[in-house]
Amino acid sequence: MAVVPPNEKQVYELISTVGTNIDRLRQGINALRQLHDRWTGSNETAINLIAQLTALRSNLDNVHDWLNYAINDLHPQLLSDLEVLMASCALLVRHVDQLIASLRQPDPDAVDCAVKLKYAVGGRSMERLRDVAERQSESVRILLAACKCHTTAQRKILLHKSRQIRKEDDMSMKVLARSSKWNGGCMTLLTGVSRGIQGLRLSYHKKLKRKDTDEEPTEKDYDNAAAAIRSEAIDRALQEDSMSLRRETKLMLVGQDNSGKDLVMHQIKVLYAEGYYSPEDRMKFRDAVRSTVRLLIHAMIDLLKDTGIHLPKTLNHDFAILLDEVEMVDMHHITTEAAAAVQNLWFSTEFSSTYLKNFEIDFPQYSPYFAQEVQRIAIEDYIPTEGDIIRLNQSIGGIKELRFNWDELDVHLFNINRYIPDQFRKRWFHQFDSPTSLVYTVDVSLYDRPFYGQTTKSQLLEEFASFESWATSSNFADSAVILLLNNFTRFRDKLRYSPLETFFPDYEPSANDPETSARQYVLKQFKDVNRNRLSIYSFWVDLDMSDNQHLYAALKKTLQHIQQRKARNEVWQESETSMSSGNGLTRRFTNSRLNLRSRSGSKLEGLLSMKSVDSSFS
């Protein structure tokens, strides 16, 4: 029997519902973080709830992405199950919003016994919400695995498991609804009691500080009042700064020059921070772009002269056009004939094979991009695009920083260029302690470049040594590493002409898949020098061929995963600290509970497809 395709309207409504739940979860998570930061007496209960809600939101993000790209592959039964799950998720979000509204205090500094009791009651609700969020996150994860599964039997098993979890979830939601009414009433009553206590406290202080009605305030009193207001404003600003720093996602962008890290910095600045240039601002870069193209023409001429390769008659004519072009005095003008000649030569078999083998002539960093766009750049009324501008070589030594909001991530990005003198290291590097992640970029296509004149040694040896110095630094002992292996396509094409084993004798290529074995070997070299055993997330990319939005979406999810794991580690450490002060019975009970969870989770692992961290973007 043929499967009836789902109704498109119903699918788009589901996509909208998932997006709404994601936005509401994001708002709830931010509100819970503010409550946790302001309430000094809070324990790990709020952190646990935040971690589970963040995991649920991340899983919903994955579902949302899959729905946008696989509308036609959605099975009607999956659609029905997702709709039921989204309704349950919306109910969970509503309970979270109600809890946050009940726990909010007009004055977070005013703490009394009623407020403490209110937070204790709210903590019980948080524990129930955490359990519900954990089950819903697991159910979403299973449904997502079922969506991506192409085997009918395995899909049925996953759907059955998801329905069992939802049955438990329905029972928990009923219990939560009943307890929420009681807890809500208690917190409302305690809020009234707290306001009464604060009112009595305020009236008491007024009586103590009451002055004679005939006595007018002096100028000193006004100065003291103004100073107190300024002091309170400074305290609030410092408190807000400390909260933002605690939640800040700090990234260190490092790597050799021309590895692509400056392009990453510029693209992130344009896409997520400062936005696009105006046409007037872009016009200022026209001469710089055309100068880069002329440098490309000079490099092409030098390569053809040095190699002396035989060119067909048509390409010889193009070569002659380029020779005439470089004789022109105007460096900021390119003829249309020269632009056509550049493309004819660049995409010819004779030149491309020679270019791949070249390691003596220095080409501009993003030569393939400019060769592809040269005819557009050569027109009379040419206005540079964002892609043209960010591929200009504008890197200078020093440290650049950039702050931007990436959904719920508050990112602080540092870009370290070239050598930093010792006096600046001492002044700056204390800010780099324990960043969230170290983003290391490397141009893997340089594997056939000689290392300090040694023809059998690869320039990648310098990359391995540089990576080792960063990864083994004590400043990054608690950080993760995002490894961007740039120029993947050129690396793959070069393998046919320059075998990797020429420069790495211990490498043994695979007969079936030499490309994959070469990638695995290079990645293994980076992992071998990672003596601190930092978590490495690797991406094979071609940074210069697109705006890389797909890469940055993957990086955002990777950073969210790193932050979730970091939050779980903090919860675990706080739990261990509290357990160490408790009795042995509590520890045995907690360990047995964790063992039960691990055993139940291991049954599920066999059903879910594992996703490799090593990704490829080309």
Side-chain angles (χ1 to χ4, degrees):
M1 183 177 179
V3 178
V4 180
N7 186 358
E8 286 192 5
K9 181 180 179 182
Q10 192 177 4
V11 175
Y12 285 117
E13 288 178 353
L14 176 61
I15 293 175
S16 176
T17 303
V18 175
T20 302
N21 286 335
I22 291 172
D23 293 337
R24 292 181 63 189
L25 276 172
R26 183 180 296 117
Q27 295 171 4
I29 290 169
N30 292 334
L32 282 171
R33 283 174 176 167
Q34 292 176 2
L35 284 174
H36 178 263
D37 291 336
R38 290 180 178 178
W39 173 238
T40 56
S42 61
N43 53 17
E44 68 273 7
T45 306
I47 301 178
N48 283 330
L49 178 58
I50 291 171
Q52 292 300 333
L53 291 177
T54 305
L56 176 60
R57 189 203 54 75
S58 179
N59 289 333
L60 289 179
D61 270 334
N62 294 332
V63 171
H64 192 265
D65 293 341
W66 184 84
L67 287 173
N68 284 320
Y69 291 104
I71 293 178
N72 297 326
D73 298 334
L74 188 59
H75 193 277
Q77 185 61 47
L78 286 174
L79 178 63
S80 176
D81 287 356
L82 283 172
E83 287 178 341
V84 174
L85 186 57
M86 288 305 103
S88 179
C89 182
L91 187 59
L92 169 66
V93 174
R94 190 174 68 186
H95 282 293
V96 172
D97 292 340
Q98 290 175 354
L99 177 63
I100 293 171
S102 301
L103 290 177
R104 276 202 175 102
Q105 281 288 109
D107 184 6
D109 296 328
V111 179
D112 50 50
C113 59
V115 173
K116 293 180 180 179
L117 284 174
K118 185 172 74 169
Y119 274 97
V121 174
R124 296 179 59 186
S125 297
M126 286 184 184
E127 290 177 357
R128 295 190 181 94
L129 287 171
R130 179 201 61 197
D131 295 336
V132 173
E134 184 178 4
R135 277 191 291 270
Q136 287 194 4
S137 179
E138 186 178 2
S139 182
V140 171
R141 191 159 56 94
I142 294 174
L143 274 180
L144 184 62
C147 291
K148 297 179 179 180
C149 181
H150 299 288
T151 306
T152 305
Q154 191 174 5
R155 179 181 290 177
K156 288 182 178 179
I157 295 173
L158 292 172
L159 290 176
H160 178 68
K161 180 66 177 177
S162 176
R163 292 190 189 101
Q164 286 182 335
I165 295 175
R166 284 208 308 276
K167 286 181 181 178
E168 299 175 2
D169 186 36
D170 291 339
M171 296 175 61
S172 299
M173 292 299 290
K174 292 178 181 178
V175 175
L176 181 63
R178 290 195 299 267
S179 62
S180 295
K181 291 182 180 179
W182 186 86
N183 290 341
C186 288
M187 285 189 283
T188 302
L189 177 62
L190 291 171
T191 301
V193 173
S194 176
R195 288 176 179 172
I197 293 174
Q198 296 303 322
L200 292 174
R201 185 180 294 175
L202 181 61
S203 62
Y204 175 73
H205 284 293
K206 283 184 177 180
K207 288 181 180 179
L208 288 179
K209 296 182 179 181
R210 182 177 297 167
K211 294 183 178 181
D212 190 6
T213 55
D214 296 334
E215 183 180 352
E216 294 184 358
T218 62
E219 185 176 353
K220 185 177 181 180
D221 293 334
Y222 284 118
D223 293 339
N224 291 336
I229 293 173
R230 288 195 300 270
S231 177
E232 290 178 359
I234 293 172
D235 291 340
R236 283 195 299 270
L238 290 174
Q239 186 178 9
E240 291 176 358
D241 290 342
S242 64
M243 290 179 188
S244 62
L245 287 175
R246 285 177 59 185
R247 296 194 299 267
E248 187 177 69
T249 301
K250 189 185 297 184
L251 301 181
M252 296 280 295
L253 185 58
V254 295
Q256 302 291 340
D257 288 342
N258 299 331
S259 63
K261 64 186 181 69
D262 291 320
L263 177 61
V264 172
M265 182 80 171
H266 292 319
Q267 285 186 334
I268 288 178
K269 182 187 293 186
V270 169
L271 292 173
Y272 306 107
E274 298 179 0
Y276 294 95
Y277 290 99
S278 65
E280 293 78 12
D281 293 334
R282 282 186 277 149
M283 282 295 294
K284 299 175 183 178
F285 295 93
R286 181 165 66 176
D287 292 344
V289 174
R290 287 180 170 172
S291 297
T292 303
V293 173
R294 293 190 69 87
L295 290 176
L296 171 62
I297 294 175
H298 280 280
M300 293 176 67
I301 292 174
D302 292 340
L303 180 61
L304 292 174
K305 285 182 177 180
D306 288 356
T307 56
I309 62 172
H310 177 72
L311 296 175
K313 184 177 180 180
T314 55
L315 294 181
N316 270 326
H317 178 67
D318 293 326
F319 182 44
I321 292 176
L322 294 186
L323 291 174
D324 292 337
E325 184 73 16
V326 297
E327 297 297 329
M328 294 178 57
V329 180
D330 189 1
M331 291 290 295
H332 303 141
H333 178 73
I334 301 170
T335 62
T336 55
E337 293 81 6
V342 167
Q343 286 199 332
N344 292 337
L345 281 168
W346 186 270
F347 294 107
S348 65
T349 306
E350 294 81 2
F351 183 86
S352 59
S353 60
T354 307
Y355 173 71
L356 287 174
K357 300 174 186 177
N358 165 64
F359 58 83
E360 295 179 353
I361 306 299
D362 289 330
F363 277 74
Q365 183 177 359
Y366 301 107
S367 295
Y369 173 83
F370 287 110
Q372 186 174 353
E373 303 293 332
V374 63
Q375 290 196 348
R376 177 179 57 82
I377 296 173
I379 62 176
E380 190 66 28
D381 55 349
Y382 160 69
I383 299 177
T385 64
E386 299 290 340
D388 301 338
I389 296 171
I390 63 179
R391 286 172 175 83
L392 293 174
N393 187 11
Q394 306 177 58
S395 63
I396 56 175
I399 300 173
K400 299 178 183 178
E401 61 176 331
L402 177 68
R403 293 181 184 269
F404 62 97
N405 293 324
W406 212 355
D407 288 344
E408 75 278 2
L409 297 176
D410 296 327
V411 181
H412 193 183
L413 176 63
F414 292 92
N415 182 15
I416 301 179
N417 285 315
R418 303 179 187 175
Y419 174 73
I420 308 297
D422 290 338
Q423 61 268 27
F424 291 103
R425 284 176 177 265
K426 295 177 181 178
R427 187 182 305 172
W428 272 87
F429 270 48
H430 69 278
Q431 299 191 27
F432 304 150
D433 289 339
S434 301
T436 305
S437 178
L438 185 72
V439 183
Y440 191 89
T441 59
V442 53
D443 185 358
V444 291
S445 68
L446 299 180
Y447 75 92
D448 60 344
R449 289 284 184 98
F451 179 61
Y452 290 119
Q454 304 179 44
T455 56
T456 58
K457 298 292 184 180
S458 171
Q459 196 169 333
L460 282 184
L461 294 175
E462 184 179 3
E463 295 286 357
F464 299 150
S466 175
F467 178 79
E468 181 180 11
S469 65
W470 287 103
T472 56
S473 173
S474 58
N475 292 354
F476 313 119
D478 299 326
S479 305
V481 177
I482 296 176
L483 185 61
L484 300 182
L485 301 154
N486 190 21
N487 284 335
F488 161 65
T489 301
R490 193 177 182 198
F491 168 80
R492 180 187 60 195
D493 295 340
K494 273 188 172 184
L495 291 175
R496 298 195 299 268
Y497 305 100
S498 300
L500 191 63
E501 56 268 25
T502 304
F503 304 92
F504 298 95
D506 58 333
Y507 166 65
E508 296 180 0
S510 171
N512 298 327
D513 194 354
E515 175 195 327
T516 302
S517 64
R519 289 169 54 188
Q520 291 174 349
Y521 176 82
V522 172
L523 185 58
K524 183 178 181 298
Q525 301 307 307
F526 283 103
K527 291 182 177 180
D528 287 345
V529 298
N530 177 26
R531 295 197 302 271
N532 284 348
R533 293 295 180 262
L534 305 180
S535 299
I536 296 181
Y537 303 83
S538 60
F539 298 90
W540 293 81
V541 295
D542 285 314
L543 292 174
D544 62 328
M545 299 311 293
S546 69
D547 59 359
N548 298 307
Q549 291 196 34
H550 57 298
L551 169 64
Y552 299 132
L555 288 182
K556 183 181 71 172
K557 291 184 179 180
T558 302
L559 291 174
Q560 290 171 347
H561 171 73
I562 294 172
Q563 290 287 54
Q564 291 171 18
R565 191 181 62 181
K566 190 175 180 180
R568 286 195 296 268
N569 290 338
E570 290 178 358
V571 173
W572 177 255
Q573 291 173 1
E574 290 186 10
S575 300
E576 282 190 334
T577 304
S578 61
M579 285 165 54
S580 62
S581 60
N583 54 25
L585 179 62
T586 304
R587 287 195 293 272
R588 287 195 296 272
F589 173 74
T590 306
N591 290 333
S592 63
R593 185 179 178 184
L594 290 174
N595 290 333
L596 286 173
R597 283 192 178 183
S598 63
R599 286 198 296 270
S600 62
S602 62
K603 296 179 181 178
L604 183 62
E605 289 296 329
L607 300 175
L608 299 178
S609 59
M610 299 299 293
K611 182 179 180 181
S612 174
V613 173
D614 183 15
S615 304
S616 175
F617 295 93
S618 55

